[in-house]
Amino acid sequence: MKITKIITVFLLTTFSVVAQQKITVEEIYTGAFRTKGMDELQAMKNTNQYTVLNSDRATRSQQIDLYDFATLKKVSTLLNSKDYKELADGIDSYTFSNDEKQILIANNSNPIFRHSFTADYYLYNLSTKVLTKVLEQVQEPTFSPDGTKIAFAKTNDLYIYDIASRNSTRVTNDGVKNAIINGITDWVYEEEFAFVRAFDWSTDSKKLAYIRFDESEVPQFSMDLYKKELYPTSETFKYPKAGEKNALVSLHIYSLSGNISQPINLGNYSDFYIARMKWTNDANLVSVQVLNRHQDNLDLIFVDATTAVAKVVLNEKDKAYVDVTDNLTFLKDNSFIWTSEKEGYNHIYLFDKNGKLKNQVTKGNWEVTSYYGFDEKTKTIFYQSVENGSIVRDVYKISLDGKNKVKLSSQVGTNVATFSPDFTYFINTYSSATVPPTYTLNSSKDGKQVQEIVNNTALVDKLKKYDLPTKEFFELTTEKGHKLNAWMIKPKDFDTTKKYPVFMFQYSGPGSQEVANNWLDTNDMWFMMLSQQGYIIACVDGRGTGYKGAAFKKCTQKELGKFEVEDQIDAAKVLGSYAYVDKSRIGIFGWSYGGFMSSNCLFKGADVFKMAIAVAPVTNWRFYDSIYTERYMTTPQENASGYDDNSPINHVSKLKGNFLLIHGTADDNVHVQNSMQMIEALVQANKQFDWAIYPDKNHGIFGGKTRIQLFNKMTNYIKEKL
């Protein structure tokens, strides 16, 4: 027996030495832990099939492949880039015409801001196999419903390209940089309302509705770009900060038959937003969502394109703000499905074509997180929700009358669905904190798995040698009684008799979520690396974060940075009370809103936190954009104390611990101005701190070896200061 024990111990020791291979920053940020997926997965509309953009490294080519939903077998390759020298640089994205006989292919894409870009576009005819370059460096080309034309934007004006004649017609003529934009959103709409294409075709392809932005009175922001030139250049763009002038927006409808645009009087509004615009199934009726500047009143308006009469069919009010979503769906009779938080949780509602409520489809103290679609044939709605806990996602179906609810997903974690056109099947993407993404074909009848499509077992096998710890989820209760979702990563060789330093991570922005049961991202892999070096990593979603109801999310209204900071400090105190935590060695890290938070936590919680890292932080909400900031804070003119009392720039005198401040100079979102003014405030407060500025890097601070250098810098700082 003694010999057996010795052998067992020897084997375990040997295995342990082999298994605990150390993760490196270089591995993380060169894609060593990247998962396999289904790129550009698109369900077809007319056949029970889907397409995926596949790559062949050997031939350096890409293929748009067509698959059958029922069998998962490849039906055909619709296009192979190696057959067309024009696509030698690859396929960036693709869209089908409504009849799915033509594909518009983008390549040579050049980013503008977070979502916007220009690209060259090729038209591919699936019947003739002919590829034709039709547009050069344009934005948002979109097929007309009948597939005969393509509307697009170029240099702030709208055009329509006729496929048969290969001629373009100019819709607008007044587009001017930093003054007038037609059919494309301005910077702040793109960032905060998350859409770029501000035009839409009528269902009969005879009209084009578009939003016009007059930003001539919006204050201008400039950034120096250093590059490698002798003299820097300056990039200027319109950026409305909190309380400043916004672009004046207007709705216009262009008629192809008369080649004329008609401005639409939406009503007696002033200082308003057109947050969404979409044609209904009636070719003469376009829907518009108008928000007041405070964003606490939303009107859904139907505009008759023939008479130009605008009618409010639905109104949403909220004491804090009304969330804007893409969940408006029109049924065949122009009745519509809508999601709303009006009962305290986000749920699905059915309204008739005149805006009269017919039925609340989903109910309960939980949130609908995604609306997937409606099957007209069976009168069934498909959606995703957090009914089984705010950190997980499940897929459901329910009858339009709110009955016959069926849970279609079975595994605990995060489930995301892509449905077949006839809703017979769905591709379920499942992951958890311990299971990387798995793609399976499932039946929409009962959710049962039909077949596995893609797995990441190779990654699982690869990770075995790193012997990673498990991300543990729990509910943390603060001394004030607030119950908050949390996770913790402990070192694999965790010893309850030892005292460990704790490195906290959070984002904390309104409606956000960092504590979720899904697969590990690059940040998580960095945290795993830190755990291998003896740190406990913890994350707590405080008040103001999402998926626990409107009251929990909106309690931070008018005081961003008050309750969220209080919760992080209180959570750190709870963690510090654990027997295995060294409460004198607690640090905190965050990026963007998280950087705003980590700065505030170190300053306001000077006796709790030993160190903090803030990347690209807002340091004063007066510096940030109008739509985001005013949604939660109203304007500085109305709420000066809300802005100033909780901005870290005003609390620098309280700094005791170690502080690392990081920013990119070409950050068009959170301007480096935030950090520069914070640096000056710290200097004048005679505080010692560390900082790093990344030339020409945007809000993401990446490119080349930037992320490797950045995360090595932060790793070294943690090891030195915590």
Side-chain angles (χ1 to χ4, degrees):
M1 272 184 77
K2 287 183 180 178
I3 296 173
T4 306
K5 280 186 177 179
I6 291 169
I7 291 172
T8 303
V9 172
F10 174 75
L11 287 173
L12 286 173
T13 305
T14 306
F15 177 76
S16 177
V17 170
V18 173
Q20 293 178 347
Q21 182 170 322
K22 300 298 184 185
I23 298 170
T24 67
V25 165
E26 286 74 12
E27 285 178 301
I28 297 170
Y29 292 99
T30 53
F33 307 110
R34 191 176 294 132
T35 58
K36 287 197 301 180
M38 300 176 73
D39 291 342
E40 290 283 322
L41 170 64
Q42 295 187 32
M44 304 295 276
K45 297 175 183 175
N46 303 314
T47 59
N48 213 33
Q49 297 168 321
Y50 64 91
T51 60
V52 175
L53 183 62
N54 290 318
S55 299
D56 186 336
R57 288 188 178 182
T59 59
R60 294 187 176 182
S61 61
Q62 292 174 290
Q63 303 81 38
I64 301 175
D65 289 327
L66 181 68
Y67 295 84
D68 183 80
F69 259 108
T71 66
L72 297 181
K73 290 182 179 178
K74 188 167 90 170
V75 177
S76 63
T77 294
L78 300 182
L79 180 143
N80 193 325
S81 66
K82 73 176 183 181
D83 297 331
Y84 300 90
K85 65 180 185 297
E86 300 95 326
L87 300 178
D89 293 332
I91 298 170
D92 296 340
S93 61
Y94 63 93
T95 54
F96 286 89
S97 58
N98 274 10
D99 61 9
E100 295 173 340
K101 293 179 180 178
Q102 302 174 96
I103 309 177
L104 200 55
I105 298 165
N107 82 346
N108 192 23
S109 297
N110 292 291
I112 303 173
F113 298 121
R114 188 189 293 265
H115 307 288
S116 57
F117 62 93
T118 60
D120 296 336
Y121 287 88
Y122 294 85
L123 187 64
Y124 182 69
N125 188 301
L126 285 162
S127 300
T128 64
K129 311 296 183 189
V130 172
L131 182 77
T132 308
K133 187 174 186 178
V134 291
L135 301 167
E136 194 167 313
Q137 291 303 300
V138 304
Q139 288 183 264
E140 302 295 320
T142 305
F143 282 111
S144 59
D146 64 10
T148 64
K149 296 174 179 65
I150 300 168
F152 65 93
K154 186 168 186 175
T155 56
N156 290 20
D157 274 317
L158 269 179
Y159 299 80
I160 294 175
Y161 176 83
D162 184 83
I163 294 172
S165 68
R166 299 189 180 184
N167 291 324
S168 291
T169 300
R170 193 163 186 163
V171 174
T172 64
N173 293 278
D174 58 347
V176 178
K177 180 178 171 60
N178 289 333
I180 304 295
I181 315 172
N182 292 289
I184 296 293
T185 55
D186 65 356
W187 185 95
V188 71
Y189 267 64
E190 174 181 339
E191 179 66 27
E192 306 304 355
F193 288 141
F195 74 109
V196 176
R197 180 168 63 88
F199 64 86
D200 197 34
W201 285 100
S202 62
T203 53
D204 62 3
S205 303
K206 294 180 179 179
K207 291 175 286 294
L208 197 69
Y210 64 93
I211 304 172
R212 179 181 183 270
F213 293 78
D214 181 350
E215 55 177 4
S216 53
E217 297 297 316
V218 176
Q220 191 162 282
F221 191 84
S222 64
M223 298 186 306
D224 284 337
L225 300 175
Y226 301 95
K227 302 180 181 177
K228 294 182 180 180
E229 307 303 322
L230 188 60
Y231 292 93
T233 58
S234 184
E235 179 70 30
T236 60
F237 57 98
K238 295 303 183 90
Y239 185 108
K241 298 198 179 218
E244 298 299 314
K245 285 189 177 181
N246 282 322
L248 300 173
V249 291
S250 53
L251 179 71
H252 302 256
I253 297 177
Y254 175 78
S255 173
L256 275 70
S257 60
N259 292 329
I260 53 170
S261 284
Q262 181 179 15
I264 303 297
N265 181 6
L266 293 171
N268 189 27
Y269 298 102
S270 62
D271 216 355
F272 65 97
Y273 301 112
I274 300 178
R276 291 290 186 270
M277 183 265 301
K278 178 181 181 179
W279 283 91
T280 72
N281 287 327
D282 182 336
N284 288 314
L285 213 57
V286 64
S287 71
V288 182
Q289 294 180 42
V290 172
L291 266 179
N292 64 333
R293 181 149 184 169
H294 278 172
Q295 299 175 63
D296 56 6
N297 188 94
L298 184 149
D299 286 336
L300 176 64
I301 299 171
F302 285 179
V303 176
D304 188 317
T306 54
T307 63
V309 172
K311 176 187 175 185
V312 176
V313 295
L314 182 69
N315 173 257
E316 288 262 353
K317 284 186 174 69
D318 194 283
K319 291 179 182 177
Y321 58 89
V322 180
D323 268 323
V324 174
T325 74
D326 291 309
N327 293 334
L328 173 61
T329 305
F330 293 99
L331 310 187
K332 286 183 178 178
D333 64 354
N334 239 28
S335 59
F336 58 92
I337 290 166
W338 177 264
T339 58
S340 171
E341 285 185 318
K342 64 181 180 179
E343 298 294 325
Y345 294 86
N346 192 49
H347 280 294
I348 299 171
Y349 296 81
L350 175 67
F351 294 86
D352 70 16
K353 64 181 181 180
N354 297 310
K356 181 181 178 182
L357 178 64
K358 294 179 71 174
N359 184 43
Q360 181 178 343
V361 181
T362 61
K363 298 174 183 177
N365 295 340
W366 46 269
E367 307 251 309
V368 170
T369 45
S370 286
Y371 167 80
Y372 288 128
F374 175 66
D375 182 4
E376 291 267 7
K377 186 173 58 184
T378 61
K379 305 299 179 189
T380 302
I381 287 174
F382 298 87
Y383 66 94
Q384 180 202 61
S385 78
V386 293
E387 188 168 350
N388 295 304
S390 56
I391 70 168
V392 299
R393 303 285 187 276
D394 281 299
V395 179
Y396 285 86
K397 69 175 181 178
I398 192 170
S399 297
L400 200 57
D401 60 7
K403 298 176 181 178
N404 307 313
K405 182 166 66 175
V406 177
K407 182 168 168 279
L408 297 175
S409 52
S410 58
Q411 300 181 88
V412 178
T414 299
N415 296 273
V416 180
T418 301
F419 284 86
S420 62
D422 65 359
F423 292 97
T424 303
Y425 301 100
F426 67 96
I427 292 174
N428 190 60
T429 307
Y430 166 75
S431 80
S432 71
T434 56
V435 180
T438 302
Y439 296 76
T440 58
L441 181 70
N442 297 66
S443 166
S444 297
K445 181 181 179 182
D446 50 19
K448 287 183 179 178
Q449 181 177 317
V450 178
Q451 190 177 334
E452 186 177 79
I453 308 172
V454 175
N455 63 49
N456 276 285
T457 53
L459 178 58
V460 172
D461 290 340
K462 180 177 184 176
L463 287 172
K464 286 178 181 176
K465 62 186 178 183
Y466 296 94
D467 196 21
L468 299 180
T470 302
K471 183 186 278 189
E472 303 170 20
F473 295 93
F474 62 103
E475 189 174 71
L476 183 148
T477 304
T478 68
E479 191 178 353
K480 297 181 180 72
H482 300 297
K483 297 182 183 298
L484 309 174
N485 291 338
W487 58 249
M488 181 182 285
I489 300 170
K490 298 172 184 171
K492 189 69 177 181
D493 58 356
F494 176 73
D495 183 344
T496 55
T497 65
K498 291 183 178 180
K499 293 274 192 180
Y500 293 89
V502 172
F503 187 60
M504 293 176 67
F505 162 69
Q506 47 64 57
Y507 178 75
S508 304
S512 67
Q513 184 178 56
E514 292 299 333
V515 183
N517 191 1
N518 52 23
W519 182 242
L520 313 174
D521 62 15
T522 50
N523 272 348
D524 289 312
M525 294 308 297
W526 183 52
F527 300 146
M528 292 289 180
M529 186 195 86
L530 292 173
S531 77
Q532 290 181 333
Q533 299 180 28
Y535 295 91
I536 288 176
I537 316 300
C539 179
V540 179
D541 276 344
R543 285 171 290 171
T545 57
Y547 310 107
K548 297 180 76 173
F552 186 86
K553 180 175 70 173
K554 295 177 178 179
C555 71
T556 61
Q557 193 70 6
K558 294 189 179 181
E559 292 188 296
L560 291 187
K562 181 180 179 180
F563 297 123
E564 308 97 301
V565 170
E566 184 181 294
D567 285 349
Q568 294 301 317
I569 294 172
D570 288 350
K573 290 177 180 177
V574 172
L575 296 172
S577 71
Y578 294 170
Y580 52 82
V581 169
D582 182 346
K583 67 179 182 180
S584 69
R585 298 174 67 197
I586 299 177
I588 190 165
F589 158 68
W591 198 303
S592 194
Y593 198 102
F596 158 76
M597 286 290 297
S598 59
S599 305
N600 253 337
C601 287
L602 184 64
F603 301 162
K604 290 186 176 184
D607 297 322
V608 177
F609 293 100
K610 184 179 182 182
M611 60 83 72
I613 300 174
V615 184
V618 171
T619 63
N620 187 327
W621 286 111
R622 293 173 182 271
F623 298 150
Y624 201 54
D625 76 58
S626 57
I627 292 179
Y628 183 93
T629 312
E630 293 171 16
R631 180 185 301 155
Y632 312 115
M633 298 285 282
T634 67
T635 66
Q637 294 87 336
E638 298 167 294
N639 182 26
S641 63
Y643 278 77
D644 298 334
D645 291 352
N646 301 301
S647 286
I649 200 169
N650 296 324
H651 296 277
V652 292
S653 62
K654 300 171 185 174
L655 174 63
K656 290 183 182 179
N658 299 293
F659 184 47
L660 174 58
L661 178 61
I662 296 167
H663 222 122
T665 65
D667 191 335
D668 61 281
N669 185 356
V670 180
H671 305 144
V672 74
Q673 170 192 24
N674 284 269
S675 285
M676 290 303 184
Q677 293 211 16
M678 177 101 108
I679 288 165
E680 176 62 10
L682 285 161
V683 168
Q684 294 309 320
N686 195 24
K687 295 295 181 178
Q688 294 300 315
F689 63 101
D690 296 276
W691 53 294
I693 297 295
Y694 286 82
D696 298 341
K697 296 300 181 286
N698 65 15
H699 197 54
I701 311 182
F702 59 86
K705 294 187 178 180
T706 304
R707 278 289 174 103
I708 294 172
Q709 195 275 350
L710 168 61
F711 276 83
N712 273 323
K713 173 181 284 294
M714 293 196 295
T715 301
N716 293 336
Y717 195 80
I718 294 163
K719 289 163 75 171
E720 180 186 341
K721 304 296 186 182
L722 192 61

